[in-house]
């Protein structure tokens, strides 16, 4: 599952549940004006801006000797407060950047995959329809991105995704939603759909499921929050190889524990660790061939850890 699929399914249900958008894995929120009467503290799920490091280690190749480790450096920020469009619609732009450093140890598992320095730049555009007198919320997402090794920029390095969703506030403690997405519209398009909910049984606890992303948190104190997470990890990038233009598609899931501490004002320190599972990596040429799949493909479980700074509102 690519990062784009992860972001789409993560974003849509809550896109439809409040005036905010994005992906819990890369976070995003700007003190959103939640529907009147909601009991949710949505700042537990989203950030106005953040920077994060995620390391994944000791992922052995099932089909060959050697293993893979990755180091991801991420930064994202909303570029403005929600912009009103007419009486009900709102617009939010978000900028994101990620540097993904891949390192293989042991015998190189293919002629095309070695140590890779990969980059992704995204400008996500979110559109939301809200009305204080209605429990229904509607949202749309357009995401142009440049994902590349910067060895040569062509049309293959540009990706475009789009999505839409609808949500319903059942009561002041429970929101549900459903979204669908078209991914990599400019290439081999993938269609996906996913449900979601956000449930706050009390003021200290939040449980959410957005597509393949599950998260549960509990406030030990107003300045210390702990939780568990299960979410996809990885991405897709275009690279130049000896065989020409190709895509690296690296995905896995991570499951672990998290902790967040309020440093000052709206600034929080977050960190966590756990296991990776269900991983795979492949190099796919522009004609759809997965070259060296017999050497690459599945990855065994490994370890991961992350640390980041989160800004809850501007």
């Amino acid at each position: 599952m690519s990062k784009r699929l992860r972001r789409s399914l993560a974003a849509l249900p809550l896109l439809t549940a409040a005036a905010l958008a994005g992906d819990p894995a890369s976070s995003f929120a700007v003190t959103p004006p939640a529907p009147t009467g909601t009991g949710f503290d949505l700042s537990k799920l989203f950030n106005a801006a953040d920077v994060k490091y995620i390391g994944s280690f000791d992922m052995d190749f099932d089909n060959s000797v050697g293993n893979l480790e990755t180091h991801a450096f991420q930064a994202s920020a909303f570029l403005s407060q929600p912009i009103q469009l007419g009486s009900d619609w709102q617009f939010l732009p978000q900028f994101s950047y990620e540097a993904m450093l891949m390192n293989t140890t042991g015998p190189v598992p293919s002629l095309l995959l070695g140590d890779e320095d990969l980059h992704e730049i995204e400008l996500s555009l979110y559109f939301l329809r809200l009305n204080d007198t209605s429990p229904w919320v509607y949202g749309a997402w357009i995401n142009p991105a440049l994902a590349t090794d910067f060895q040569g920029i062509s049309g293959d390095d540009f990706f475009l995704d789009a999505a839409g969703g609808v949500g319903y506030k059942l009561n002041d403690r429970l929101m549900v939603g459903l979204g669908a997405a078209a991914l990599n519209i400019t290439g081999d398009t993938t269609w996906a759909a996913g449900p979601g909910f956000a449930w706050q049984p009390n003021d200290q606890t939040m449980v959410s499921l957005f597509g393949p992303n599950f998260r549960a948190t509990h406030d030990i104190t107003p300045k210390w929050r702990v939780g568990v997470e299960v979410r996809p990890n990885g991405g897709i990038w275009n690279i130049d190889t000896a065989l020409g233009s190709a895509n690296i598609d690296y995905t896995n899931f991570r499951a672990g524990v998290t902790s967040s501490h309020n440093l000052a004002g709206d600034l929080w320190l977050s960190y966590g660790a756990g296991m990776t599972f269900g991983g795979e990596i492949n190099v796919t040429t522009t004609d759809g061939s997965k070259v060296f799949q017999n050497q690459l493909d599945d990855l065994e479980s490994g370890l991961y850890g992350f640390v980041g700074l989160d800004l809850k509102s501007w």
Side-chain angles (χ1 to χ4, degrees), residues 77-103:
F78 276 89
L79 301 180
S80 75
Q81 296 284 335
I83 300 170
Q84 198 70 30
L85 301 176
S87 58
D88 294 335
W89 284 91
Q90 293 181 348
F91 165 68
L92 298 95
Q94 182 195 33
F95 175 83
S96 302
Y97 169 75
E98 178 183 63
M100 172 68 78
L101 311 181
M102 292 185 175
N103 303 113

Short mmCIF file of all heavy atoms in Angstrom, two decimals, residues 77-103:
data_model
loop_
_atom_site.label_atom_id
_atom_site.label_comp_id
_atom_site.label_asym_id
_atom_site.label_seq_id
_atom_site.Cartn_x
_atom_site.Cartn_y
_atom_site.Cartn_z
N ALA A 77 3.08 21.42 6.77
CA ALA A 77 2.44 22.59 7.39
C ALA A 77 1.28 23.04 6.53
O ALA A 77 1.36 23.02 5.30
CB ALA A 77 3.42 23.73 7.56
N PHE A 78 0.18 23.44 7.18
CA PHE A 78 -0.87 24.13 6.48
C PHE A 78 -0.40 25.54 6.18
O PHE A 78 0.28 26.17 6.99
CB PHE A 78 -2.15 24.14 7.31
CG PHE A 78 -2.94 22.88 7.14
CD1 PHE A 78 -2.71 21.79 7.95
CD2 PHE A 78 -3.90 22.79 6.15
CE1 PHE A 78 -3.43 20.62 7.78
CE2 PHE A 78 -4.63 21.62 5.98
CZ PHE A 78 -4.39 20.54 6.79
N LEU A 79 -0.75 26.02 5.00
CA LEU A 79 -0.23 27.31 4.55
C LEU A 79 -1.12 28.47 4.95
O LEU A 79 -0.76 29.63 4.74
CB LEU A 79 -0.07 27.29 3.02
CG LEU A 79 0.87 26.20 2.49
CD1 LEU A 79 0.97 26.27 0.97
CD2 LEU A 79 2.25 26.32 3.12
N SER A 80 -2.29 28.19 5.51
CA SER A 80 -3.18 29.26 5.95
C SER A 80 -4.23 28.68 6.87
O SER A 80 -4.38 27.46 6.98
CB SER A 80 -3.86 29.94 4.75
OG SER A 80 -4.88 29.11 4.23
N GLN A 81 -4.96 29.54 7.53
CA GLN A 81 -6.17 29.14 8.21
C GLN A 81 -7.19 28.76 7.15
O GLN A 81 -7.01 29.06 5.95
CB GLN A 81 -6.69 30.30 9.06
CG GLN A 81 -5.77 30.71 10.20
CD GLN A 81 -5.82 29.74 11.37
OE1 GLN A 81 -6.83 29.06 11.56
NE2 GLN A 81 -4.77 29.70 12.17
N PRO A 82 -8.27 28.04 7.50
CA PRO A 82 -9.28 27.71 6.50
C PRO A 82 -9.80 28.96 5.78
O PRO A 82 -10.10 29.98 6.41
CB PRO A 82 -10.39 27.05 7.33
CG PRO A 82 -9.67 26.50 8.52
CD PRO A 82 -8.57 27.47 8.82
N ILE A 83 -9.86 28.88 4.45
CA ILE A 83 -10.32 29.99 3.62
C ILE A 83 -11.77 29.74 3.23
O ILE A 83 -12.11 28.68 2.68
CB ILE A 83 -9.44 30.12 2.37
CG1 ILE A 83 -7.99 30.39 2.77
CG2 ILE A 83 -9.96 31.22 1.45
CD1 ILE A 83 -7.02 30.29 1.62
N GLN A 84 -12.65 30.70 3.53
CA GLN A 84 -14.08 30.52 3.27
C GLN A 84 -14.37 30.69 1.79
O GLN A 84 -13.93 31.65 1.14
CB GLN A 84 -14.89 31.53 4.07
CG GLN A 84 -16.35 31.16 4.22
CD GLN A 84 -16.57 29.96 5.14
OE1 GLN A 84 -15.80 29.73 6.07
NE2 GLN A 84 -17.63 29.21 4.88
N LEU A 85 -15.10 29.72 1.20
CA LEU A 85 -15.55 29.78 -0.18
C LEU A 85 -17.07 29.72 -0.18
O LEU A 85 -17.65 28.65 0.01
CB LEU A 85 -14.97 28.62 -1.00
CG LEU A 85 -13.44 28.51 -1.09
CD1 LEU A 85 -13.05 27.25 -1.85
CD2 LEU A 85 -12.84 29.74 -1.74
N GLY A 86 -17.72 30.84 -0.32
CA GLY A 86 -19.17 30.87 -0.23
C GLY A 86 -19.62 30.72 1.21
O GLY A 86 -18.86 30.95 2.16
N SER A 87 -20.85 30.26 1.39
CA SER A 87 -21.41 30.19 2.74
C SER A 87 -21.02 28.93 3.48
O SER A 87 -20.90 28.93 4.70
CB SER A 87 -22.94 30.28 2.66
OG SER A 87 -23.45 29.22 1.85
N ASP A 88 -20.79 27.81 2.74
CA ASP A 88 -20.56 26.52 3.41
C ASP A 88 -19.19 25.91 3.14
O ASP A 88 -18.71 25.11 3.95
CB ASP A 88 -21.64 25.51 2.97
CG ASP A 88 -23.02 25.90 3.45
OD1 ASP A 88 -23.11 26.60 4.47
OD2 ASP A 88 -24.00 25.50 2.80
N TRP A 89 -18.55 26.21 2.02
CA TRP A 89 -17.31 25.55 1.65
C TRP A 89 -16.10 26.24 2.24
O TRP A 89 -16.07 27.47 2.39
CB TRP A 89 -17.17 25.51 0.12
CG TRP A 89 -18.04 24.47 -0.52
CD1 TRP A 89 -19.32 24.64 -0.98
CD2 TRP A 89 -17.71 23.10 -0.72
NE1 TRP A 89 -19.80 23.46 -1.48
CE2 TRP A 89 -18.85 22.49 -1.34
CE3 TRP A 89 -16.59 22.32 -0.47
CZ2 TRP A 89 -18.88 21.16 -1.70
CZ3 TRP A 89 -16.62 20.97 -0.83
CH2 TRP A 89 -17.75 20.40 -1.43
N GLN A 90 -15.08 25.44 2.57
CA GLN A 90 -13.80 25.95 3.05
C GLN A 90 -12.68 25.29 2.27
O GLN A 90 -12.81 24.16 1.79
CB GLN A 90 -13.62 25.68 4.55
CG GLN A 90 -14.59 26.44 5.43
CD GLN A 90 -14.36 26.16 6.90
OE1 GLN A 90 -13.64 25.24 7.26
NE2 GLN A 90 -14.99 26.95 7.77
N PHE A 91 -11.56 26.00 2.15
CA PHE A 91 -10.40 25.53 1.39
C PHE A 91 -9.17 25.62 2.27
O PHE A 91 -8.94 26.62 2.95
CB PHE A 91 -10.23 26.40 0.13
CG PHE A 91 -8.88 26.24 -0.53
CD1 PHE A 91 -8.53 25.05 -1.15
CD2 PHE A 91 -7.98 27.30 -0.55
CE1 PHE A 91 -7.29 24.91 -1.77
CE2 PHE A 91 -6.75 27.17 -1.16
CZ PHE A 91 -6.40 25.98 -1.77
N LEU A 92 -8.34 24.54 2.27
CA LEU A 92 -7.10 24.52 3.03
C LEU A 92 -5.97 23.97 2.16
O LEU A 92 -6.08 22.85 1.67
CB LEU A 92 -7.22 23.64 4.28
CG LEU A 92 -8.23 24.01 5.36
CD1 LEU A 92 -9.53 23.25 5.13
CD2 LEU A 92 -7.68 23.66 6.74
N PRO A 93 -4.90 24.73 1.97
CA PRO A 93 -3.72 24.20 1.28
C PRO A 93 -2.68 23.71 2.30
O PRO A 93 -2.51 24.30 3.36
CB PRO A 93 -3.20 25.41 0.51
CG PRO A 93 -3.58 26.58 1.38
CD PRO A 93 -4.85 26.19 2.12
N GLN A 94 -1.97 22.63 1.96
CA GLN A 94 -0.95 22.07 2.84
C GLN A 94 0.29 21.72 2.02
O GLN A 94 0.20 21.12 0.94
CB GLN A 94 -1.46 20.81 3.54
CG GLN A 94 -0.44 20.21 4.53
CD GLN A 94 -0.81 18.79 4.94
OE1 GLN A 94 -1.39 18.05 4.16
NE2 GLN A 94 -0.48 18.43 6.16
N PHE A 95 1.45 22.07 2.55
CA PHE A 95 2.73 21.74 1.91
C PHE A 95 3.42 20.66 2.73
O PHE A 95 3.46 20.72 3.96
CB PHE A 95 3.63 22.98 1.85
CG PHE A 95 5.02 22.67 1.31
CD1 PHE A 95 5.25 22.61 -0.06
CD2 PHE A 95 6.08 22.45 2.18
CE1 PHE A 95 6.51 22.32 -0.55
CE2 PHE A 95 7.35 22.17 1.70
CZ PHE A 95 7.57 22.10 0.32
N SER A 96 3.99 19.65 2.02
CA SER A 96 4.71 18.57 2.70
C SER A 96 5.98 18.24 1.94
O SER A 96 6.02 18.32 0.71
CB SER A 96 3.84 17.30 2.79
OG SER A 96 2.63 17.54 3.46
N TYR A 97 7.01 17.86 2.70
CA TYR A 97 8.27 17.40 2.10
C TYR A 97 8.76 16.19 2.88
O TYR A 97 8.65 16.14 4.11
CB TYR A 97 9.35 18.49 2.14
CG TYR A 97 10.72 17.95 1.78
CD1 TYR A 97 11.03 17.66 0.45
CD2 TYR A 97 11.68 17.68 2.76
CE1 TYR A 97 12.28 17.13 0.11
CE2 TYR A 97 12.92 17.16 2.43
CZ TYR A 97 13.21 16.88 1.10
OH TYR A 97 14.43 16.34 0.77
N GLU A 98 9.29 15.20 2.15
CA GLU A 98 9.88 14.04 2.79
C GLU A 98 11.17 13.64 2.07
O GLU A 98 11.20 13.60 0.83
CB GLU A 98 8.93 12.85 2.77
CG GLU A 98 9.53 11.58 3.38
CD GLU A 98 8.61 10.38 3.31
OE1 GLU A 98 8.28 9.95 2.19
OE2 GLU A 98 8.21 9.88 4.37
N ALA A 99 12.21 13.38 2.83
CA ALA A 99 13.44 12.76 2.32
C ALA A 99 13.48 11.34 2.86
O ALA A 99 13.43 11.13 4.07
CB ALA A 99 14.67 13.54 2.77
N MET A 100 13.55 10.37 1.96
CA MET A 100 13.59 8.96 2.33
C MET A 100 14.95 8.39 1.92
O MET A 100 15.28 8.35 0.74
CB MET A 100 12.47 8.18 1.65
CG MET A 100 12.54 6.67 1.83
SD MET A 100 12.23 6.13 3.54
CE MET A 100 10.43 6.26 3.60
N LEU A 101 15.72 7.96 2.91
CA LEU A 101 17.03 7.38 2.66
C LEU A 101 16.93 5.88 2.87
O LEU A 101 16.61 5.41 3.96
CB LEU A 101 18.07 7.98 3.61
CG LEU A 101 18.11 9.51 3.71
CD1 LEU A 101 19.20 9.97 4.66
CD2 LEU A 101 18.28 10.15 2.34
N MET A 102 17.19 5.11 1.80
CA MET A 102 17.15 3.65 1.86
C MET A 102 18.55 3.09 1.82
O MET A 102 19.36 3.49 0.98
CB MET A 102 16.36 3.09 0.66
CG MET A 102 14.89 3.40 0.69
SD MET A 102 14.04 2.57 -0.70
CE MET A 102 12.35 2.98 -0.33
N ASN A 103 18.83 2.16 2.73
CA ASN A 103 20.13 1.52 2.78
C ASN A 103 19.97 0.01 2.80
O ASN A 103 19.18 -0.52 3.57
CB ASN A 103 20.91 1.97 4.03
CG ASN A 103 21.07 3.47 4.10
OD1 ASN A 103 20.51 4.12 4.98
ND2 ASN A 103 21.81 4.05 3.18
#
